[in-house]
């Protein structure tokens, strides 16, 4: 078993633990009414987008999400939350350094014994969700679970659905597909982007992601026999049949959307195996991007 397989199968337990700790971390996470930015890089950026949409949609306050390198320093926020598994990513540390003393910051990290300890004003540590693999799975989803639970939006069914996602077989024909498109709505648009990233990182697959309603505005033109379109969450009316009419394989999101992402993680590993690839050694990638001065 690869590291990434071992880690992705532990997600139900990690989610349950993170949800149980939400009250403990509440003082360092955004309070209702605060104007908040959530930042990250790569996978963490996509989780930031999902969390921001959830928070603002819940009426907790205006919430933006940015790649750390694209943070708009001309805007004012009551708190900036940084998602960083390693605690060493250059763009995150640079941003936290610039904000220090001017804006309250919180880092959600798996490793507190790193430079993020002094760069961030506060820490929420999820060390039980740390990973050896380059490809992120359980830390990202566990950090999002913590934020969902903090907002009161973590359903009990999510953990059960995650176990189902790990136990049920993947749909037939899926591993043989040559192109994958992932769709989301609202907070699951970020999850769709992350699903596409997992396929590219682990399996070198042609994968795209879009807001579901945008799929009709051009991207559906690549759908054909041998491609797959996977919906994370509820699909817009009529879209499933439109995709099937192209000859493509339609995968409906039947579980909690975060559990659907677990299914995609499994698919990425399966496609990698079918192509003779090692998902623990993705091409041109390292566990953390640390830039030389």
């Amino acid at each position: 078993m690869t590291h990434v397989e071992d880690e992705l199968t532990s997600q139900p337990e990690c989610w349950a633990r993170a949800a149980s700790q939400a009250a403990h971390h509440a003082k360092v996470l955004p309070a209702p009414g605060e104007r908040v930015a959530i930042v990250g890089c790569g996978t963490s950026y996509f989780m930031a987008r999902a969390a921001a949409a959830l928070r603002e949609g819940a009426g907790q306050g205006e919430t933006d999400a940015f790649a750390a390198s694209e943070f708009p320093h001309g805007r004012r926020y009551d708190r900036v939350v940084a998602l960083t598994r390693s605690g060493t990513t250059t763009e995150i540390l640079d941003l936290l350094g610039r904000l220090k003393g001017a804006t309250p910051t919180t880092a959600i990290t798996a490793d507190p014994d790193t430079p993020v300890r002094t760069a961030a004003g506060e820490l929420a540590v999820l060390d039980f969700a740390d990973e050896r693999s380059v490809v992120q799975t359980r830390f990202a989803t566990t950090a999002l679970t913590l934020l969902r639970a903090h907002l009161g939006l973590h359903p009990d069914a999510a953990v059960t659905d995650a176990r189902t996602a790990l136990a049920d077989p993947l749909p037939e024909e899926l591993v043989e597909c040559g192109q994958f498109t992932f769709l989301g709505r609202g907070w699951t648009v970020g999850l769709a982007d992350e699903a596409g990233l997992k396929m590219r990182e682990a399996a070198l697959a042609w994968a795209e992601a879009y807001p579901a309603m945008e799929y009709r505005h051009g991207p559906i033109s690549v759908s054909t026999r041998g491609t797959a379109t996977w919906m994370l969450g509820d699909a817009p009316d009529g879209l499933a049949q439109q995709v099937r009419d192209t000859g493509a394989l339609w995968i409906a999101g039947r579980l909690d959307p975060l559990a659907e992402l677990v299914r995609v993680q499994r698919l990425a590993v399966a496609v990698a195996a079918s192509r003779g690839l090692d998902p623990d050694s993705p091409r041109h990638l390292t566990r953390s991007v640390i830039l030389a001065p």
Side-chain angles (χ1 to χ4, degrees):
M1 182 177 289
T2 62
H3 295 317
V4 69
E5 287 177 281
D6 181 56
E7 289 158 0
L8 74 85
T9 58
S10 69
Q11 287 174 107
E13 292 72 29
C14 288
W15 297 2
R17 188 168 175 181
S20 72
Q21 293 183 1
H24 171 73
H25 293 297
K27 290 184 179 180
V28 303
L29 296 176
E34 287 186 328
R35 188 168 189 254
V36 172
I38 310 176
V39 300
C41 299
T43 288
S44 292
Y45 167 52
F46 296 140
M47 296 298 104
R49 287 174 52 195
L54 279 170
R55 183 175 187 270
E56 188 159 318
Q60 292 275 319
E62 184 176 344
T63 314
D64 296 322
F66 302 103
S69 59
E70 298 299 319
F71 184 81
H73 288 277
R75 296 190 189 180
R76 304 298 301 172
Y77 291 97
D78 299 314
R79 180 169 296 276
V80 173
V81 177
L83 306 182
T84 171
R85 174 179 67 172
S86 69
T88 60
T89 303
T90 297
E91 296 103 300
I92 293 289
L93 297 177
D94 286 350
L95 174 59
L96 292 174
R98 288 190 64 177
L99 295 174
K100 198 164 191 175
T103 303
T105 59
T106 296
I108 301 176
T109 187
D111 189 351
D113 297 320
T114 58
V116 77
R117 176 182 289 278
T118 55
E122 305 282 358
L123 292 183
V125 178
L126 302 175
D127 51 0
F128 57 89
D130 202 358
E131 298 162 324
R132 295 180 64 184
S133 59
V134 172
V135 175
Q136 281 201 57
T137 55
R138 72 181 179 192
F139 173 75
T141 60
T142 300
L144 182 54
T145 296
L146 175 67
L147 292 169
R148 286 180 87 184
H150 175 65
L151 294 168
L153 298 176
H154 170 70
D156 292 339
V159 172
T160 301
D161 281 359
R163 294 193 174 102
T164 299
L166 292 168
D168 286 359
L170 293 170
E172 294 182 9
E173 305 177 61
L174 201 50
V175 172
E176 285 74 32
C177 287
Q179 187 268 346
F180 304 88
T181 299
F182 300 96
L183 306 178
R185 303 180 80 179
W187 73 282
T188 71
V189 173
L191 299 188
D193 280 322
E194 169 59 9
L197 180 63
K198 285 287 93 62
M199 296 300 298
R200 292 189 290 273
E201 288 178 327
L204 303 183
W206 174 13
E208 302 178 343
Y210 303 96
M213 291 296 288
E214 285 295 303
Y215 193 54
R216 298 180 175 99
H217 294 271
I220 196 171
S221 63
V222 303
S223 292
T224 187
R225 191 170 303 278
T227 71
T229 301
W230 191 321
M231 183 73 212
L232 283 81
D234 295 329
D237 291 343
L239 183 58
Q241 189 57 52
Q242 282 183 278
V243 171
R244 292 190 185 103
D245 288 344
T246 70
L249 181 64
W250 170 263
I251 306 298
R254 55 188 178 81
L255 303 174
D256 179 87
L258 202 55
E260 284 292 321
L261 182 58
V262 175
R263 295 176 73 206
V264 177
Q265 293 168 350
R266 289 182 57 211
L267 174 63
V269 171
V271 173
S274 74
R275 298 180 178 185
L277 301 172
D278 179 3
D280 282 340
S281 300
R283 193 168 63 181
H284 312 312
L285 296 179
T286 57
R287 188 172 180 277
S288 174
V289 176
I290 303 173
L291 304 176

